[in-house]
Amino acid sequence: MALTPGARLGVYEVIAQIGEGGMGQVYRARDTKLNRDVALKILPDAFASDGERLTRFTREAQALAALNHPNIAAIYGLEESGGMTALVMELVEGDDLSQRIARGAIPLDEALPIAKQIAEALEAAHEQGIIHRDLKPANIKVRADGMVKVLDFGLAKAMEPIGAMAASNSMSPTITTPAMMTSAGMILGTAAYMSPEQARGKSVDKRADIWAFGAVLFEMLTGTRAFVGDDVSDVLASVLAREPDLTAASPRVRLLLTRCLEKDSRKRLRDIGDAMSLVQGADTSDLSAEGAAARIETAPLRSNRVAWLVAAVATIALIATALVALRRAGEVTPTASPVQFTIAPPDNTSFGGPAGGGTGYATQLAVSPDGRNIVLVAGTQAGYQIWLRPVATLAARPIPGTEGGAFPFWSPDGRSIGFFAAGKLKKVQIAGGPPTVLCDAPAGRGGSWSRDDVILFTPSTAGGLVRVTSAGGVPTVVTTLDPATGETNHRWPYFLPDGQHFIYTAVTGTCCPATKPSRISIASLDPADPTISLLQAESSASYASGHLLFARDETLMAQLFDLDARQLKGDAFPLAEHVSRESGRYVGASVSENGTLVYAHGAAEAASQLTWFDRTGRALATVGEAVPYFSLALSPDERRVAIALRTSDNLDIWITDIARNIRSRLTVDPGTDTMPVWSPDGTRIAFGGQRSGKISLRQKLIDATAPDELLLEGSGDFTPTDWSADGRFIAYADRSSAISSDLWALPLFGDRKPFPLAQTEFAESSAVFSPDGRSIAYSSTEGGQPNVYVQPFPAGGGRYQVSRDGGSRPVWRANGKELFYLGLDGTMMAVPIDATGPFDAGVPQALFPTGAPTLNVNQVYAVKKDGQRFLVNARPQQSGASPLTVVVNWTAAIQK
């Protein structure tokens, strides 16, 4: 969020913005308490909304604050105010080194004192166990008096042992300046100073700073970067493959630069103090800027370098494939070392997904069986789609026809993918062509494709697994729920190599871990084979190279798995930490048959913010704090909002007083409670609850300590959607079937016998009563994608389609003259309604993009009675900076 001059953060008054980069905006501000100017760096949402990441950053900032050195810009502290977090730093006047270099090469007698101060700053940090990781001219200031200040230790971290798992190189703290900017922007500026091990995504130590120091010194002396290129691929190829021309340097400076820019970190200078000794021993005739510049290759051979990179990666992949193919599962044979690198999201997008386990924020991805291609879901709040990223190239391309696609999975030949979109299971060839609809899947939660062209998938968030051929057709049920263990859904199937057996996650509860934990089980397409429970885990699972891969919390684990005996062996061991996952048990990780592992970093769940918008999409105010909300309902008096909120122990219904901004808990049962709906008098709330493994429809008085009251219980998955204005009926969805869901009405009078509102083989959801009680609006997939319909109530019949190009979650305006719904891309739509005679609807009008997920059952917005304001469960846009990590031949690390 940008700040304007005059804005206040605690005691700091903003004067002007002075920079911007991956770590946020930087402002000049006045400390009104101490009467001094400071620099404020506003941390991005990815830090501010991620408690674990913010804690880690705070801990590192505390370490950096202890660095009391004249050549390091001081860190004064962290300021938290108004939902924003700012790093308070010393304000350093003067040009940064990139601006100075832009005016020409720096004479040696001026450059060496600068280099000496840079080295002293790094030495002070290294002695405290801190490495910078982003040293470059833009992060070095030179004051008018010659004093050097090294800035932006924002990417610094405590040193790790050599050989440790690579840390993410995301969230670069680059501050862009006109002198630094190129056609490739600040990423190119950063890549030019990356050490080879950093460019490959490996773990780095203080020797990465020594490399960057050499690159900066070279640039100061010549006015030209040591490693150049037209784009990031060229620059990285130059870093990995080319040596800068040092023939014009005298022996001492040549030795210094050679030892700093040694590509093998083991041969590089180990301590910056050694560089200081060489700097102090140099003389002013050591390097001619003009001579060196004349010898530097400034016209990069782009095609050759890209070809080199492609060939290198492809060769590594082929070697890994050949080696892994020679060994049986569980055998240990000599293999090549693992190769690790990272993949950034496509330009102007973030990794994520439109459905997810209810939040849409775990990165959805799948690596092909041969390890050569990755499909991933990326986009913006306006919409996601599936992209193809070959491992051996540096670019991803969107796959046409996959807009809104979720949870992709590969065909066994690697030529096609299956995915879920618009309430359907679809397939598409990666080479091109339109997608094919295979069957209904109202809320798909994972699929797997066998060599016999059987697709096993989860069509909905309730029920078991079903199968269909890759040509499409009517699905048949494969697994059934076990009520005794509290199962409510079977998700994330994964075929084992024989094409008959498969692993899957048996989920308990509707959203979150319940009183009985979920399990990873193994079953077969042959119903005569027994189902075996392998382990308890709130996770999806996959198999490759003799190992079962799954997650414990946010740690990706691997454990030996005997296919013949169908049992785990030995202990599980960690592969990676802070892996992207969601409460729906989905884990953002995938593994190929030949040893390529791909995983994403991220938090378990993303926070959201209840935000008021006007009809133009202008944000007006927020309600409560940013936490992982699941569904919401505005009270009839519009003074309170009921929310389903997951706390550390459970998912429950809470009520927030909007004016006082006070949140209180309504349900306290250890079972999960979700989808609140207000009674028309505002005294009660109906909700879907889980008690002893059974899903039920319940109600509770909001101002009483009495227990909640059971309204309806059965084998289905009941979720209330609305309460009629006369208080006589509750509409609810029943997802008893694995493929479809039906709409019912529960009378609150007489024998209270439910009756159907919409009962078909398709998926109906989100039924809401019109204000006059004469109609209901709801969403149905009958037309091939979700659309909004209106039909008479209670008699039914005479259905009228309201939406044109897809829609879900209808909400009536209080006067009945307008109907709102979400388009398939999350856009808020409005339709004028004429109900004075026969029902008639006008042309839908787009109001504003909400960014809300559209493929799950949660209610994500509410409308004030006047139809002018909308309370939206707004998901903040991901920074998209965290890359995917690719590990080729990952099993070699295990053997070592």
Side-chain angles (χ1 to χ4, degrees), residues 30 52 103 169 188 195 202 237 242 314 326 329 362 364 374 420 476 508 525 555 574 595 618 622 728 774 782 870:
R30 185 69 175 173
E52 188 275 336
R103 298 194 291 268
N169 290 329
L188 181 56
S195 64
K202 293 184 177 181
R242 192 173 67 81
L326 292 175
Q364 299 174 19
I374 301 168
F420 302 93
T476 57
T508 59
L525 295 178
T555 300
R618 181 168 61 96
T622 59
R728 292 164 55 84
R774 296 166 52 191
E782 181 175 347
F870 304 80

Side-chain angles (χ1 to χ4, degrees), residues 294-512:
R295 291 173 173 81
I296 293 175
E297 298 173 8
T298 57
L301 301 178
R302 181 178 186 275
S303 59
N304 289 341
R305 290 172 186 165
V306 174
W308 179 87
L309 280 176
V310 172
V313 175
T315 300
I316 292 168
L318 289 174
I319 291 173
T321 301
L323 289 169
V324 175
L326 292 175
R327 68 175 184 268
R328 294 174 58 87
E331 291 185 59
V332 178
T333 60
T335 65
S337 298
V339 176
Q340 181 169 305
F341 56 95
T342 58
I343 293 177
D347 291 345
N348 302 316
T349 70
S350 297
F351 293 131
T359 68
Y361 269 71
T363 301
Q364 299 174 19
L365 59 93
V367 60
S368 61
D370 61 9
R372 296 183 178 181
N373 294 290
I374 301 168
V375 286
L376 50 91
V377 179
T380 67
Q381 292 285 31
Y384 290 89
Q385 73 178 112
I386 300 174
W387 297 65
L388 175 69
R389 171 57 153 83
V391 171
T393 68
L394 295 172
R397 65 171 177 84
I399 301 177
T402 62
E403 292 78 7
F407 302 122
F409 56 94
W410 284 92
S411 64
D413 61 9
R415 297 180 179 179
S416 304
I417 61 167
F419 64 98
F420 302 93
K424 303 291 182 180
L425 170 64
K426 301 181 180 182
K427 70 175 181 179
V428 66
Q429 293 185 348
I430 63 172
T436 301
V437 174
L438 301 182
C439 59
D440 286 333
R445 292 297 185 267
S448 187
W449 196 328
S450 78
R451 289 184 174 86
D452 297 324
D453 281 331
V454 173
I455 294 179
L456 185 68
F457 69 102
T458 305
S460 179
T461 55
L465 300 172
V466 299
R467 61 180 287 180
V468 70
T469 70
S470 61
V474 178
T476 57
V477 175
V478 176
T479 64
T480 56
L481 304 179
D482 181 1
T485 59
E487 293 180 358
T488 57
N489 197 206
H490 292 165
R491 298 183 182 181
W492 319 123
Y494 194 97
F495 271 115
L496 296 174
D498 65 4
Q500 284 291 113
H501 292 88
F502 54 88
I503 51 179
Y504 67 94
T505 303
V507 172
T508 59
T510 58
C511 177
C512 306

Side-chain angles (χ1 to χ4, degrees), residues 559-573:
Q559 188 169 357
L560 283 171
F561 182 67
D562 187 326
L563 285 176
D564 295 330
R566 302 180 206 170
Q567 64 182 17
L568 294 164
K569 298 168 59 179
D571 296 326
F573 48 88

Side-chain angles (χ1 to χ4, degrees), residues 659-714:
R660 297 190 300 152
N661 200 24
I662 296 176
R663 187 176 71 215
S664 58
R665 189 169 181 170
L666 180 67
T667 64
V668 295
D669 191 273
T672 59
D673 299 318
T674 187
M675 295 294 290
V677 172
W678 289 87
S679 65
D681 61 4
T683 62
R684 290 163 292 165
I685 285 180
F687 59 93
Q690 183 190 41
R691 303 290 184 269
S692 302
K694 294 184 178 180
I695 305 299
S696 55
L697 189 62
R698 317 183 80 85
Q699 70 170 345
K700 184 175 176 63
L701 289 168
I702 66 170
D703 295 324
T705 59
D708 53 62
E709 175 189 350
L710 175 66
L711 296 176
L712 186 66
E713 187 176 64

